[in-house]
Each structure stands twice: as C-alpha cells, then as structure tokens.
Amino acid sequence: MDLGLRGTRVLVTAASKGLGAATARQFSLEGASVVISSRDLEKLQNTAANIVAESSNPVFTHVADVTDPEAIKRLVRNTVEMLGGLDVLVTNAGGPPAGGFDDFDMIAWEQAIRLNFLSNVSLIQAALPHLRKSQRAAILTITSVAAKQPIANLTLSNAIRPAVIGLTKTLSQELGPQGIRVNSILPGTTVTERITELMGARAQKNGTTIEEETAKAAQATPLQRLGTPEEFANTAVFLCSPAAGFITGVALAVDGGTIQATM
Ligand code: NAP
C-alpha cells in the first residue's frame, strides 16, 4: 500500500535513537523529508547519515532539549526553514526515571512533567501555525501502555502519561475542524536502550539479571515477546499518513496485547 507520504515534511523529536530514530527512518523510507532532534549533535548526525544511506531522502538535524520551550521555538522555526513548511509533528521525549512514589521529591516530579507532558504542549504550540497551512497535517504523541495500565515501579510515567492522552483527545476535537489529525501511540515493551535501563533497574530491585527480567517481560506479553522499534515505526508512520486520513483522537497500543482492558 502506498501511504502517500512522498514529499511530506516531518519533525520527530527525541530521535537520535530508539523509537524516535526508527520512526524517522520509516518516514524517510516512505519518501518524506525529515528533521530529527535530540540533545546530542553527534548521535543525531550519525543517525541521520545512517537513514540517508538507506533512503536517499533528506534528513536534517537540530539540537534541542524538549524541556526548554525557547529551544523548541527555535527548533520549529529552523525546521520550517529547512523543509519549507511542516506537515507532521511527532512529539517524542526520553522516558522518566524508574521508581516508586517514595523515590521522588517535588523537583523530580516537576522535571518529569516538563519532560513528558509540557514538551508536548510547547512543541504543539510552536508547530500549530505551520500545521494549519498544511493540507495533510497530523500530530502524533508517544506515550506508553502506562497511560492505561500502571507499570510496577514506574510511578512518574503512570501518573503523567494519561494527561498526554487527555491532551491528544482534546486536541483531536479542537483541531479536527481545521483538518489536523491528532493521535497517540502507547508502546508496550519494545527493544531499545530505554528498556535495557528499565530492566537493569528491575534486576537491581529484585536481585535478578537483566536477561531474567527481559524474559519475564516477554512472558507477560500475550504475544510472548518484546516489540521491535520497526513494528512501532510502521504504526507511527501509518497513523500520520493520508492512508489513515479518517483516524483522529485514537490512543493506539502497539504492545503485543499487554493492556488487558476490553476498551
Ligand atoms: P531511548 O531509546 O532511551 O531514546 C530516548 C531518546 O530521547 C533519545 O534519542 C534521546 O536522545 C532523547 N531524549 C531524551 N531526553 C531528551 C530531552 N530532554 N530532549 C530531547 N531529546 C531527549 O527511549 P525509547 O525506548 O525510544 O522511548 C521513547 C519514549 O517512549 C520514552 O518516553 C519512553 O519512556 C517511551 N516508551 C518506551 C517504551 C519501550 O519499550 N521502549 C515503552 C513505553 C514507552 P539524546 O540523548 O541524544 O538527547
């Protein structure tokens, strides 16, 4: 199926590795022009070079910390200059630290809210004037299965992700009449460096190994394995494409069946 993404202008944040990088790669393979952003220029440039070697389509880089609203404004301004406009915004960020309620003081809560909630707000605020000029505008927020089903020892994520789903749904209602679609993906456990870190934290807490914790996570998934970044990226690119033109306000789990609720 042709997803209709050729020539689409895309910004993916937190895309030097992991789910963001896989998403940027898949957009590029579909013929989109992409800007990738994170805090580390060298990692970004390596990732961009790898993607371009595969796709032969333009991939630009811009360093920005998503917790800094002024840096986000510069990122979006520069993206629009580099791409000549903006059609698709993917608001990814790094994950918050693992831990239970007693592990975090107010500063840690505020940092996590800036990283995993307010980053979406500042990115969407900065991008909207440009998305309003596009005929194929889409926004994708990236959250977690934690938005619907709490994960042990991930208190910050469990508390903050549902707010992003609330924002996504609200924006889909407000921006639908302007032709802008807004969706979210809830990844389940997917093989990236973040998961190695989280499995390391679990291993330390439970006196086990990373391999044992990874095997337990796979067993707890109905499909009996972890997801791949490519499986996540295929879904992300589809949701942002004209092929999904009648889909908005959706919070779609890409989780191998992890979320147990019926609806
Ligand atoms: P990852 O492999 O750790 O990659 C995180 C990315 O975020 C990197 O590119 C990092 O780049 C960037 N980043 C971190 N902090 C940033 C900041 N303040 N500003 C800009 N960029 C920043 O993580 P991932 O597995 O791809 O996860 C992506 C998101 O999905 C996270 O929020 C994670 O919690 C969530 N998620 C992941 C899974 C999973 O199984 N992988 C499951 C559920 C939810 P630099 O270091 O270069 O800045």
mmCIF file of all heavy atoms in Angstrom, residues 195-225:
data_model
loop_
_atom_site.group_PDB
_atom_site.id
_atom_site.type_symbol
_atom_site.label_atom_id
_atom_site.label_comp_id
_atom_site.label_asym_id
_atom_site.label_seq_id
_atom_site.Cartn_x
_atom_site.Cartn_y
_atom_site.Cartn_z
ATOM 1 N N ILE A 195 14.711 0.272 27.434
ATOM 2 C CA ILE A 195 14.264 -0.986 28.045
ATOM 3 C C ILE A 195 15.422 -1.671 28.754
ATOM 4 O O ILE A 195 15.253 -2.233 29.846
ATOM 5 C CB ILE A 195 13.602 -1.876 26.964
ATOM 6 C CG1 ILE A 195 12.214 -1.326 26.682
ATOM 7 C CG2 ILE A 195 13.536 -3.345 27.376
ATOM 8 C CD1 ILE A 195 11.358 -1.020 27.907
ATOM 9 N N THR A 196 16.621 -1.603 28.180
ATOM 10 C CA THR A 196 17.780 -2.174 28.884
ATOM 11 C C THR A 196 17.949 -1.474 30.229
ATOM 12 O O THR A 196 18.192 -2.120 31.263
ATOM 13 C CB THR A 196 19.049 -2.000 28.025
ATOM 14 O OG1 THR A 196 18.738 -2.430 26.708
ATOM 15 C CG2 THR A 196 20.203 -2.808 28.558
ATOM 16 N N GLU A 197 17.775 -0.126 30.239
ATOM 17 C CA GLU A 197 17.901 0.627 31.505
ATOM 18 C C GLU A 197 16.825 0.194 32.505
ATOM 19 O O GLU A 197 17.115 -0.045 33.683
ATOM 20 C CB GLU A 197 17.746 2.131 31.253
ATOM 21 C CG GLU A 197 18.955 2.783 30.602
ATOM 22 C CD GLU A 197 18.605 4.137 29.993
ATOM 23 O OE1 GLU A 197 17.611 4.762 30.415
ATOM 24 O OE2 GLU A 197 19.336 4.565 29.074
ATOM 25 N N LEU A 198 15.570 0.092 32.018
ATOM 26 C CA LEU A 198 14.477 -0.259 32.935
ATOM 27 C C LEU A 198 14.634 -1.683 33.461
ATOM 28 O O LEU A 198 14.373 -1.955 34.638
ATOM 29 C CB LEU A 198 13.117 -0.118 32.230
ATOM 30 C CG LEU A 198 12.675 1.316 31.924
ATOM 31 C CD1 LEU A 198 11.308 1.316 31.258
ATOM 32 C CD2 LEU A 198 12.631 2.175 33.186
ATOM 33 N N MET A 199 15.071 -2.592 32.607
ATOM 34 C CA MET A 199 15.279 -3.977 33.049
ATOM 35 C C MET A 199 16.444 -4.026 34.060
ATOM 36 O O MET A 199 16.420 -4.820 35.005
ATOM 37 C CB MET A 199 15.567 -4.903 31.861
ATOM 38 C CG MET A 199 14.387 -5.053 30.912
ATOM 39 S SD MET A 199 12.894 -5.669 31.720
ATOM 40 C CE MET A 199 11.618 -4.979 30.677
ATOM 41 N N GLY A 200 17.422 -3.155 33.874
ATOM 42 C CA GLY A 200 18.534 -3.053 34.818
ATOM 43 C C GLY A 200 18.025 -2.602 36.182
ATOM 44 O O GLY A 200 18.425 -3.145 37.227
ATOM 45 N N ALA A 201 17.112 -1.616 36.186
ATOM 46 C CA ALA A 201 16.547 -1.121 37.456
ATOM 47 C C ALA A 201 15.753 -2.229 38.138
ATOM 48 O O ALA A 201 15.835 -2.416 39.359
ATOM 49 C CB ALA A 201 15.659 0.099 37.185
ATOM 50 N N ARG A 202 14.975 -2.986 37.342
ATOM 51 C CA ARG A 202 14.190 -4.091 37.919
ATOM 52 C C ARG A 202 15.114 -5.169 38.481
ATOM 53 O O ARG A 202 14.861 -5.717 39.555
ATOM 54 C CB ARG A 202 13.307 -4.740 36.840
ATOM 55 C CG ARG A 202 12.048 -3.969 36.589
ATOM 56 C CD ARG A 202 11.124 -4.762 35.694
ATOM 57 N NE ARG A 202 10.177 -3.866 35.067
ATOM 58 C CZ ARG A 202 9.306 -4.211 34.141
ATOM 59 N NH1 ARG A 202 9.256 -5.445 33.704
ATOM 60 N NH2 ARG A 202 8.477 -3.324 33.632
ATOM 61 N N ALA A 203 16.186 -5.472 37.740
ATOM 62 C CA ALA A 203 17.117 -6.517 38.170
ATOM 63 C C ALA A 203 17.744 -6.133 39.509
ATOM 64 O O ALA A 203 17.870 -6.961 40.425
ATOM 65 C CB ALA A 203 18.180 -6.742 37.097
ATOM 66 N N GLN A 204 18.110 -4.849 39.624
ATOM 67 C CA GLN A 204 18.718 -4.366 40.870
ATOM 68 C C GLN A 204 17.727 -4.491 42.032
ATOM 69 O O GLN A 204 18.081 -4.940 43.122
ATOM 70 C CB GLN A 204 19.126 -2.912 40.679
ATOM 71 C CG GLN A 204 20.228 -2.497 41.601
ATOM 72 C CD GLN A 204 20.784 -1.134 41.217
ATOM 73 O OE1 GLN A 204 20.197 -0.407 40.406
ATOM 74 N NE2 GLN A 204 21.893 -0.770 41.812
ATOM 75 N N LYS A 205 16.478 -4.122 41.775
ATOM 76 C CA LYS A 205 15.435 -4.149 42.818
ATOM 77 C C LYS A 205 15.116 -5.577 43.237
ATOM 78 O O LYS A 205 14.911 -5.863 44.412
ATOM 79 C CB LYS A 205 14.177 -3.469 42.252
ATOM 80 C CG LYS A 205 13.140 -3.062 43.270
ATOM 81 C CD LYS A 205 12.097 -2.214 42.557
ATOM 82 C CE LYS A 205 10.884 -1.842 43.277
ATOM 83 N NZ LYS A 205 10.552 -1.817 44.547
ATOM 84 N N ASN A 206 15.080 -6.506 42.242
ATOM 85 C CA ASN A 206 14.629 -7.877 42.519
ATOM 86 C C ASN A 206 15.779 -8.860 42.759
ATOM 87 O O ASN A 206 15.532 -10.045 42.970
ATOM 88 C CB ASN A 206 13.777 -8.398 41.343
ATOM 89 C CG ASN A 206 12.530 -7.548 41.135
ATOM 90 O OD1 ASN A 206 12.063 -6.910 42.074
ATOM 91 N ND2 ASN A 206 11.993 -7.530 39.922
ATOM 92 N N GLY A 207 17.037 -8.378 42.651
ATOM 93 C CA GLY A 207 18.184 -9.272 42.820
ATOM 94 C C GLY A 207 18.270 -10.308 41.707
ATOM 95 O O GLY A 207 18.650 -11.468 41.940
ATOM 96 N N THR A 208 17.923 -9.908 40.497
ATOM 97 C CA THR A 208 17.966 -10.821 39.342
ATOM 98 C C THR A 208 18.923 -10.238 38.298
ATOM 99 O O THR A 208 19.683 -9.326 38.587
ATOM 100 C CB THR A 208 16.557 -10.961 38.729
ATOM 101 O OG1 THR A 208 16.075 -9.634 38.444
ATOM 102 C CG2 THR A 208 15.592 -11.659 39.658
ATOM 103 N N THR A 209 18.852 -10.739 37.062
ATOM 104 C CA THR A 209 19.692 -10.194 35.986
ATOM 105 C C THR A 209 18.795 -9.499 34.951
ATOM 106 O O THR A 209 17.576 -9.739 34.906
ATOM 107 C CB THR A 209 20.470 -11.314 35.263
ATOM 108 O OG1 THR A 209 19.507 -12.180 34.629
ATOM 109 C CG2 THR A 209 21.328 -12.108 36.231
ATOM 110 N N ILE A 210 19.439 -8.705 34.101
ATOM 111 C CA ILE A 210 18.695 -8.021 33.030
ATOM 112 C C ILE A 210 18.036 -9.063 32.120
ATOM 113 O O ILE A 210 16.878 -8.913 31.717
ATOM 114 C CB ILE A 210 19.642 -7.105 32.219
ATOM 115 C CG1 ILE A 210 20.080 -5.924 33.092
ATOM 116 C CG2 ILE A 210 18.971 -6.610 30.942
ATOM 117 C CD1 ILE A 210 20.962 -4.903 32.403
ATOM 118 N N GLU A 211 18.763 -10.146 31.832
ATOM 119 C CA GLU A 211 18.227 -11.191 30.946
ATOM 120 C C GLU A 211 16.978 -11.823 31.566
ATOM 121 O O GLU A 211 15.976 -12.051 30.875
ATOM 122 C CB GLU A 211 19.284 -12.281 30.679
ATOM 123 C CG GLU A 211 20.462 -11.833 29.818
ATOM 124 C CD GLU A 211 21.404 -10.852 30.544
ATOM 125 O OE1 GLU A 211 21.496 -10.923 31.791
ATOM 126 O OE2 GLU A 211 22.013 -10.008 29.863
ATOM 127 N N GLU A 212 17.030 -12.085 32.885
ATOM 128 C CA GLU A 212 15.865 -12.703 33.542
ATOM 129 C C GLU A 212 14.668 -11.754 33.507
ATOM 130 O O GLU A 212 13.532 -12.175 33.248
ATOM 131 C CB GLU A 212 16.207 -13.057 35.004
ATOM 132 C CG GLU A 212 17.044 -14.331 35.116
ATOM 133 C CD GLU A 212 17.614 -14.528 36.523
ATOM 134 O OE1 GLU A 212 17.986 -13.524 37.187
ATOM 135 O OE2 GLU A 212 17.689 -15.676 36.946
ATOM 136 N N GLU A 213 14.910 -10.468 33.756
ATOM 137 C CA GLU A 213 13.810 -9.501 33.753
ATOM 138 C C GLU A 213 13.235 -9.341 32.340
ATOM 139 O O GLU A 213 12.030 -9.198 32.162
ATOM 140 C CB GLU A 213 14.277 -8.144 34.304
ATOM 141 C CG GLU A 213 14.603 -8.163 35.782
ATOM 142 C CD GLU A 213 13.408 -8.556 36.671
ATOM 143 O OE1 GLU A 213 12.250 -8.322 36.286
ATOM 144 O OE2 GLU A 213 13.657 -9.116 37.751
ATOM 145 N N THR A 214 14.111 -9.372 31.320
ATOM 146 C CA THR A 214 13.644 -9.250 29.933
ATOM 147 C C THR A 214 12.791 -10.472 29.571
ATOM 148 O O THR A 214 11.727 -10.337 28.938
ATOM 149 C CB THR A 214 14.846 -9.126 28.969
ATOM 150 O OG1 THR A 214 15.651 -8.033 29.419
ATOM 151 C CG2 THR A 214 14.402 -8.871 27.546
ATOM 152 N N ALA A 215 13.219 -11.653 29.992
ATOM 153 C CA ALA A 215 12.444 -12.877 29.710
ATOM 154 C C ALA A 215 11.086 -12.806 30.405
ATOM 155 O O ALA A 215 10.059 -13.190 29.833
ATOM 156 C CB ALA A 215 13.222 -14.106 30.178
ATOM 157 N N LYS A 216 11.063 -12.271 31.647
ATOM 158 C CA LYS A 216 9.782 -12.154 32.372
ATOM 159 C C LYS A 216 8.835 -11.200 31.630
ATOM 160 O O LYS A 216 7.645 -11.453 31.504
ATOM 161 C CB LYS A 216 10.026 -11.604 33.787
ATOM 162 C CG LYS A 216 10.368 -12.667 34.810
ATOM 163 C CD LYS A 216 10.119 -12.149 36.226
ATOM 164 C CE LYS A 216 11.396 -11.679 36.877
ATOM 165 N NZ LYS A 216 11.243 -11.040 38.176
ATOM 166 N N ALA A 217 9.412 -10.091 31.119
ATOM 167 C CA ALA A 217 8.579 -9.111 30.391
ATOM 168 C C ALA A 217 8.004 -9.746 29.132
ATOM 169 O O ALA A 217 6.836 -9.520 28.781
ATOM 170 C CB ALA A 217 9.412 -7.872 30.044
ATOM 171 N N ALA A 218 8.800 -10.552 28.460
ATOM 172 C CA ALA A 218 8.300 -11.219 27.248
ATOM 173 C C ALA A 218 7.183 -12.194 27.602
ATOM 174 O O ALA A 218 6.139 -12.231 26.944
ATOM 175 C CB ALA A 218 9.450 -11.932 26.535
ATOM 176 N N GLN A 219 7.389 -12.955 28.680
ATOM 177 C CA GLN A 219 6.373 -13.940 29.087
ATOM 178 C C GLN A 219 5.060 -13.266 29.499
ATOM 179 O O GLN A 219 3.984 -13.835 29.323
ATOM 180 C CB GLN A 219 6.882 -14.789 30.255
ATOM 181 C CG GLN A 219 7.764 -15.952 29.800
ATOM 182 C CD GLN A 219 8.693 -16.421 30.918
ATOM 183 O OE1 GLN A 219 8.440 -16.166 32.092
ATOM 184 N NE2 GLN A 219 9.776 -17.089 30.551
ATOM 185 N N ALA A 220 5.162 -12.051 30.039
ATOM 186 C CA ALA A 220 3.962 -11.349 30.496
ATOM 187 C C ALA A 220 3.177 -10.746 29.329
ATOM 188 O O ALA A 220 2.082 -10.214 29.517
ATOM 189 C CB ALA A 220 4.355 -10.240 31.474
ATOM 190 N N THR A 221 3.728 -10.823 28.136
ATOM 191 C CA THR A 221 3.068 -10.261 26.950
ATOM 192 C C THR A 221 2.321 -11.389 26.231
ATOM 193 O O THR A 221 2.918 -12.437 25.979
ATOM 194 C CB THR A 221 4.139 -9.665 26.001
ATOM 195 O OG1 THR A 221 4.919 -8.740 26.746
ATOM 196 C CG2 THR A 221 3.523 -8.971 24.811
ATOM 197 N N PRO A 222 1.033 -11.203 25.902
ATOM 198 C CA PRO A 222 0.310 -12.288 25.223
ATOM 199 C C PRO A 222 1.040 -12.829 23.989
ATOM 200 O O PRO A 222 1.024 -14.028 23.751
ATOM 201 C CB PRO A 222 -1.025 -11.635 24.871
ATOM 202 C CG PRO A 222 -1.251 -10.693 26.010
ATOM 203 C CD PRO A 222 0.111 -10.123 26.319
ATOM 204 N N LEU A 223 1.723 -11.981 23.219
ATOM 205 C CA LEU A 223 2.451 -12.486 22.052
ATOM 206 C C LEU A 223 3.797 -13.119 22.434
ATOM 207 O O LEU A 223 4.560 -13.555 21.567
ATOM 208 C CB LEU A 223 2.654 -11.382 21.016
ATOM 209 C CG LEU A 223 1.384 -10.970 20.244
ATOM 210 C CD1 LEU A 223 1.704 -9.910 19.189
ATOM 211 C CD2 LEU A 223 0.701 -12.156 19.583
ATOM 212 N N GLN A 224 4.112 -13.106 23.744
ATOM 213 C CA GLN A 224 5.282 -13.840 24.284
ATOM 214 C C GLN A 224 6.631 -13.325 23.789
ATOM 215 O O GLN A 224 7.597 -14.088 23.687
ATOM 216 C CB GLN A 224 5.165 -15.346 23.954
ATOM 217 C CG GLN A 224 3.930 -15.995 24.546
ATOM 218 C CD GLN A 224 4.091 -16.259 26.035
ATOM 219 O OE1 GLN A 224 4.826 -17.158 26.417
ATOM 220 N NE2 GLN A 224 3.430 -15.470 26.864
ATOM 221 N N ARG A 225 6.671 -12.038 23.433
ATOM 222 C CA ARG A 225 7.950 -11.455 23.028
ATOM 223 C C ARG A 225 7.861 -9.946 23.195
ATOM 224 O O ARG A 225 6.776 -9.386 23.381
ATOM 225 C CB ARG A 225 8.278 -11.810 21.576
ATOM 226 C CG ARG A 225 7.311 -11.224 20.547
ATOM 227 C CD ARG A 225 7.771 -11.513 19.127
ATOM 228 N NE ARG A 225 6.840 -11.033 18.131
ATOM 229 C CZ ARG A 225 6.807 -9.801 17.641
ATOM 230 N NH1 ARG A 225 7.656 -8.882 18.074
ATOM 231 N NH2 ARG A 225 5.921 -9.455 16.727
#
